[in-house]
Amino acid sequence: MGDSWFTIRWDADGPAVLMLDQRRLPAEAHYPRYVDVEGVARAIEDMVIRGAPAIGIAAAMGVALAVARAPAGADRDALVSGALDRLARTRPTAVNLFWALDRMRTRWASVRDESGATAALLAEAQAILEEDVAINRALGAHGAALVPDGARILTHCNAGALATGGYGTALGVIRAAVAAGKRVRVYSDETRPYLQGARLTAWELQQDGIDVTVIPDVAAAHLISRGEVDLAIVGSDRTVRNGDVANKIGTYGVALACHASTIPFYAAVPVSTLDLGLAHGGLIPIEERTPREVTHVGDRQLTPVGVGIRNPAFDVTPSRYVTAIITERGVARAPYETSLAALAQIRPVDEREKHA
Ligand code: MRU
């Protein structure tokens, strides 16, 4: 990822938050400015910004915005708690949202009576962004070791720079493999109904000159069964104690197809996406989105008017189908209860310093 575009940035002159409007990709790169909490919350709900780590970063900046734009004499405590509540109601599945809001809550609690409280909140949001990029680079380095030269890699949805502060998780592994001199070819599932793979993964890999071929989701099992895919790698919205992985709807089917053909299925999961408080994937709240994403492509209706529609946005891949979980602290393998708990206990290094 070069400097030609970015996913999200704080604009100190505003103060405001700039986000690349992902609804308009790949047709145009447009950066609306958000100046209040409600605007940021709606941007998350409406998919201007999406992807677990990016949602967390946007929410953190939304909280910082609440105090940075507080009118003189306003009850800043009430503004922060209102912001935390509103942003927590945007999307339920990605745990990074709640993780980032918890960081902002803790930071506010420690500085609220001090004169530099606003700057401290902004510094925390900015740290969440910068750490995320460094974490993805570390994760990518661990994952690249699992990618053979010449690999044909299937990915689902978009777990790239667009879904994070930069570099990406699943796409970070691919970027790191390419940077290590490996030749790769990527198959990007189009990812119905919202088409994150067709629009976003294809766009960002093409920007980097990485060989990418978009396939319909329904073609994935076929290509895997014919020996045309060497491994699959996906991101995650929430990975729980037993290693069950929640990710974009359709991921489970990819994992089953990989299992049937005995090829590796990897999940790229920063530690901020682990929710070790939940015992298994059945406990993960799964977002159901508007039927319109299924019934329409653009303004054109595909389905008969009045027909029943379901639109679950995520599914859960049972850990027995997950070959390994790649984190910034190393690669976890089954039994995940022990391997993930061990990784979570490793004292975090400041990845920003290592990768500066
Ligand atoms: O509905 P989305 O586009 O927010 O879903 C995104 C995904 O499922 C990603 O794979 C996941 O958030 C990992 S992003 C590093």
Side-chain angles (χ1 to χ4, degrees):
M1 180 186 167
D3 293 332
S4 56
W5 58 276
F6 60 88
T7 302
I8 182 166
R9 193 174 278 177
W10 179 264
D11 171 13
D13 295 335
V17 181
L18 298 179
M19 297 184 213
L20 176 55
D21 188 344
Q22 300 190 23
R23 300 167 307 178
R24 290 160 81 152
L25 288 174
E28 59 172 336
H30 172 67
Y31 295 88
R33 302 172 87 249
Y34 295 91
V35 295
D36 58 20
V37 174
E38 185 56 28
V40 172
R42 291 210 180 144
I44 296 171
E45 289 166 346
D46 296 346
M47 310 284 273
V48 171
I49 192 160
R50 31 63 53 203
I55 291 170
I57 294 162
M61 289 193 175
V63 177
L65 209 47
V67 285
R69 283 202 167 251
D75 179 350
R76 296 192 306 170
D77 235 359
L79 285 174
V80 170
S81 68
L84 292 167
D85 286 352
R86 174 67 184 96
L87 290 158
R89 281 186 275 110
T90 50
R91 297 193 71 191
T93 303
V95 77
N96 303 63
L97 171 68
F98 308 100
W99 169 87
L101 291 176
D102 276 348
R103 267 182 72 160
M104 297 304 283
R105 183 181 292 109
T106 306
R107 187 82 169 130
W108 179 246
S110 70
V111 295
R112 71 176 130 215
D113 297 326
E114 295 168 16
S115 58
T118 303
L121 223 45
L122 172 57
E124 189 70 16
Q126 194 62 33
I128 290 173
L129 167 63
E130 288 169 20
E131 285 167 19
D132 185 59
V133 181
I135 281 167
N136 293 338
R137 287 186 176 274
L139 187 158
H142 286 297
L146 301 171
V147 176
D149 184 28
R152 297 155 303 171
I153 305 171
L154 179 79
T155 192
H156 189 77
C157 193
N158 172 267
L162 287 166
T164 62
Y167 203 69
T169 57
L171 298 194
V173 170
I174 292 170
R175 286 193 165 95
V178 170
K182 293 177 182 174
R183 292 158 300 167
V184 301
R185 178 187 305 167
V186 179
Y187 286 113
S188 173
D189 274 354
E190 63 178 351
T191 319
R192 276 281 293 158
Y194 207 73
L195 302 176
Q196 288 94 331
R199 297 187 302 108
L200 308 178
T201 296
W203 181 78
E204 78 164 84
L205 290 181
Q206 190 182 52
Q207 298 285 309
D208 273 10
I210 295 174
D211 182 338
V212 58
T213 301
V214 175
I215 58 168
D217 302 331
V218 285
H222 169 69
L223 291 184
I224 290 168
S225 74
R226 306 255 295 211
E228 294 189 40
V229 175
D230 299 301
L231 62 99
I233 180 159
V234 299
S236 173
D237 292 85
R238 195 184 293 231
T239 291
V240 296
R241 192 156 72 228
N242 70 348
D244 290 352
V245 173
N247 190 48
K248 179 52 55 192
I249 193 76
T251 301
Y252 182 20
V254 171
L256 286 173
C258 289
H259 182 75
S261 292
T262 57
I263 66 162
F265 173 88
Y266 298 118
V269 184
V271 171
S272 59
T273 305
L274 295 178
D275 185 0
L276 302 188
L278 287 189
H280 62 83
L283 300 170
I284 300 172
I286 300 294
E287 177 183 11
E288 293 247 358
R289 292 187 59 83
T290 170
R292 198 184 156 91
E293 290 175 358
V294 178
T295 56
H296 286 67
V297 169
D299 289 333
R300 182 154 166 261
Q301 177 144 7
L302 303 174
T303 55
V305 175
V307 76
I309 303 289
R310 289 283 307 274
N311 187 16
F314 301 96
D315 61 25
V316 176
T317 298
S319 59
R320 63 183 174 280
Y321 300 123
V322 181
T323 310
I325 295 174
I326 305 161
T327 79
E328 70 273 26
R329 299 184 193 169
V331 177
R333 292 185 188 264
Y336 290 109
E337 295 246 358
T338 25
S339 59
L340 290 178
L343 283 182
Q345 268 165 20
I346 296 173
R347 199 174 62 82
V349 283
D350 190 335
E351 297 292 347
R352 286 174 298 176
E353 285 166 23
K354 273 177 47 186
H355 294 270

